[in-house]
């Protein structure tokens, strides 16, 4: 199986990225052929400073390596190093119904958060579908917020195949029953049910663009400061705490080892421990879980030439996979 996923370099990697997507990518490295990339083209929808864009791309790549993406098993590359993706993006766009883009959740959320309506944000899912389809993904590990985008990719691949592969039957996409197979392979999303959506310190979905993230590689004081500012209610120390809608509870559930969480869950419901103490515990679990990756990060970030070498080697592998798809697509549409 082909496994494909991207991480936007619009900010630094955070706990939501790890629990939603990156942990799956690390675990799946031996289950197939993996193509993971830093979505630097997507990041341009929000980053407007070239120097910062370049720095964030590098940081994201270094972070993925520190977290356990192994370049020997995974092609790790920069999205923009495979220009074929932009060609597929345009061609695919010709079969995309405008109504799909208008009902895209991520787009609507971004507008609700005050981002200006713009072509880049609007067209975002088409570029993401091109990412997925270019490498012939079978499986796309993502957080829950991205499910709709993967479903769009499936739908548009079908539309493309119907339009451009004579005899293609959407009921028989691989051609197992004798029809010609599609040019674009239909992907499936994969979500980790334990942490489909991790809340940020304000209780909303953790996201770099919402300023509510706990960053994996921020300095220790900043991490502690962020954890201290997790929003809690006014339940007194002695009382049992509400579980529903508590960001602190959800974060503890994600970060604490399962064996330790059982006791936390019990005391949380019984009362007797204050939110401040739980935050201290969370900080402890955070550094226990990510201390090693944080140390690795320092070493990796100190050797930018090596990171660059890894990204370029990854791009060469990705371009090989891309070349086959794009050649078939060009032929089919008459270019
Ligand atoms: P952000 O939303 O912070 O900009 P990205 O959009 O680059 O992060 O997300 C990269 C991956 O991490 C995607 O698969 C996304 O679904 C996942 N992800 C991001 N935030 C969360 C979250 N709060 N909970 C679960 N998964 C998340
Ligand atoms: N849109 C994804 C996000 O914001 C990042 C992304 C870009 C992606 N291209 C992708 C994820 C292809 C999976 C597959 O989280």
């Amino acid at each position: 199986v082909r496994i494909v996923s991207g991480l936007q370099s619009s900010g630094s990697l955070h706990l939501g990225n790890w629990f939603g997507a990156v942990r799956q990518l690390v675990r799946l490295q031996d289950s197939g052929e993996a193509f993971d990339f830093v979505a630097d083209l997507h990041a341009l929808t929000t980053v407007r400073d070239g120097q910062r864009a370049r720095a964030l791309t590098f940081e994201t790549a270094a972070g993925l390596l520190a977290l356990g993406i192994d370049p020997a098993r995974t092609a790790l590359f920069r999205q923009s190093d495979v220009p074929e993706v932009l060609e597929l993006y345009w061609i695919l766009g010709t079969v995309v119904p405008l109504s799909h883009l208008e009902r895209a959740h991520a787009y609507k959320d971004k507008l609700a958060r005050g981002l200006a309506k713009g072509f880049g944000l609007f067209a975002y899912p088409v570029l993401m579908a091109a990412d997925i389809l270019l490498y012939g993904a079978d499986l796309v590990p993502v957080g829950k917020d991205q499910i709709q985008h993967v479903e769009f990719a499936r739908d548009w691949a079908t539309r493309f195949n119907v339009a451009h592969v004579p005899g293609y039957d959407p009921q028989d996409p691989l051609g197992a029953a004798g029809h010609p197979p599609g040019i674009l392979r239909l992907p499936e999303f994969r979500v980790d049910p334990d942490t489909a959506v991790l809340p940020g310190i304000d209780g909303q979905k953790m996201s770099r663009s919402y300023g509510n993230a706990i960053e994996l590689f921020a300095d220790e004081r900043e991490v502690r400061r962020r954890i201290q500012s997790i929003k809690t209610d006014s339940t007194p120390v002695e009382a049992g705490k509400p579980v529903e809608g508590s960001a602190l509870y959800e974060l503890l559930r994600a970060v604490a080892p399962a064996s330790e969480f059982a006791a936390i869950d019990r005391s949380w419901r019984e009362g007797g421990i204050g939110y401040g103490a739980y935050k201290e515990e969370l900080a402890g679990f955070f550094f226990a879980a990510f201390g090693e990756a944080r140390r690795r990060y320092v070493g990796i970030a100190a050797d930018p030439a090596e990171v660059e070498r890894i990204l370029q080697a990854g791009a060469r592998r990705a371009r090989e996979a891309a070349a086959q798809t794009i050649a078939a697509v060009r032929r089919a549409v008459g270019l």
Side-chain angles (χ1 to χ4, degrees):
V1 289
R2 283 263 167 100
I3 301 162
V4 176
S5 195
L7 282 294
Q8 246 192 114
S9 48
S10 50
S12 310
L13 291 171
H14 54 70
L15 280 175
N17 296 140
W18 169 253
F19 287 107
V22 182
R23 182 172 64 175
Q24 299 193 70
L25 299 178
V26 170
R27 290 181 178 166
L28 286 168
Q29 288 184 106
D30 289 323
S31 317
E33 212 185 337
F35 293 86
D36 297 346
F37 57 91
V38 180
D40 56 350
L41 294 168
H42 277 114
L44 297 181
T45 56
T46 51
V47 183
R48 287 293 137 75
D49 168 341
Q51 224 172 346
R52 186 172 145 73
R54 203 169 293 116
L56 286 174
T57 300
F58 173 79
E59 273 179 35
T60 304
L64 291 172
L65 291 167
L67 289 168
I69 297 296
D70 170 8
R73 292 178 288 163
T74 293
L76 177 67
F77 59 101
R78 259 183 304 252
Q79 184 185 31
S80 64
D81 279 344
V82 187
E84 287 84 353
V85 77
L86 291 168
E87 191 172 349
L88 183 58
Y89 157 73
W90 174 257
I91 296 171
L92 194 63
T94 60
V95 301
V96 171
L98 208 58
S99 60
H100 288 188
L101 301 181
E102 283 164 353
R103 66 178 162 80
H105 307 309
Y107 177 65
K108 290 194 286 188
D109 284 354
K110 284 172 185 166
L111 297 194
R113 284 275 175 167
L115 293 185
K117 276 192 183 178
F119 177 74
L121 284 185
F122 194 60
Y124 187 110
V126 186
L127 180 57
M128 176 160 164
D131 286 326
I132 294 169
L133 302 174
L134 183 62
Y135 307 108
D138 298 293
L139 214 57
V140 185
V142 284
K144 189 169 168 229
D145 60 306
Q146 298 296 318
I147 290 178
Q148 188 193 31
H149 286 159
V150 182
E151 286 175 337
F152 282 154
R154 245 184 112 79
D155 183 332
W156 303 336
T158 302
R159 284 167 193 266
F160 178 91
N161 290 335
V162 166
H164 294 293
V165 180
Y168 178 77
D169 181 351
Q171 303 305 322
D172 181 26
L174 297 174
H179 304 88
I183 291 173
L184 299 179
R185 194 190 251 301
L186 307 189
E188 311 226 4
F189 64 83
R190 186 178 191 284
V191 166
D192 191 333
D194 288 343
T195 42
V197 184
L198 195 73
I201 60 174
D202 61 355
Q204 306 293 310
K205 180 207 145 186
M206 184 179 292
S207 170
R208 26 185 139 225
S209 37
Y210 301 166
N212 66 357
I214 299 173
E215 294 178 0
L216 296 171
F217 302 108
D219 70 47
E220 182 174 338
R221 274 189 39 216
E222 175 62 14
V223 170
R224 290 189 187 278
R225 204 181 60 75
R226 290 250 138 189
I227 288 176
Q228 285 311 321
S229 39
I230 294 169
K231 208 168 96 188
T232 48
D233 62 19
S234 54
T235 310
V237 174
E238 322 77 67
K241 314 276 182 294
V243 164
E244 209 59 44
S246 168
L248 181 54
Y249 179 84
E250 282 305 312
L251 288 164
L252 280 164
R253 194 168 70 81
V255 182
S259 55
E260 311 227 17
F261 183 69
I264 292 174
D265 185 46
R266 209 172 317 117
S267 73
W268 186 277
R269 292 167 195 271
E270 282 170 1
I273 297 179
Y275 285 129
Y278 284 120
K279 289 177 178 177
E280 289 293 330
E281 283 206 76
L282 178 59
F285 291 132
F286 176 93
F287 291 109
F290 297 103
E292 207 182 303
R294 288 165 59 82
R295 279 187 292 279
R296 274 200 299 270
Y297 181 84
V298 174
I300 293 166
D303 190 357
E306 173 64 5
V307 175
E308 184 60 32
R309 197 193 57 73
I310 290 169
L311 290 175
Q312 291 192 14
R316 278 193 295 277
R317 282 160 68 189
R319 283 194 84 169
E320 271 170 40
Q324 299 175 18
T325 309
I326 210 72
V329 164
R330 291 185 64 123
R331 212 177 309 119
V333 298
L335 295 177

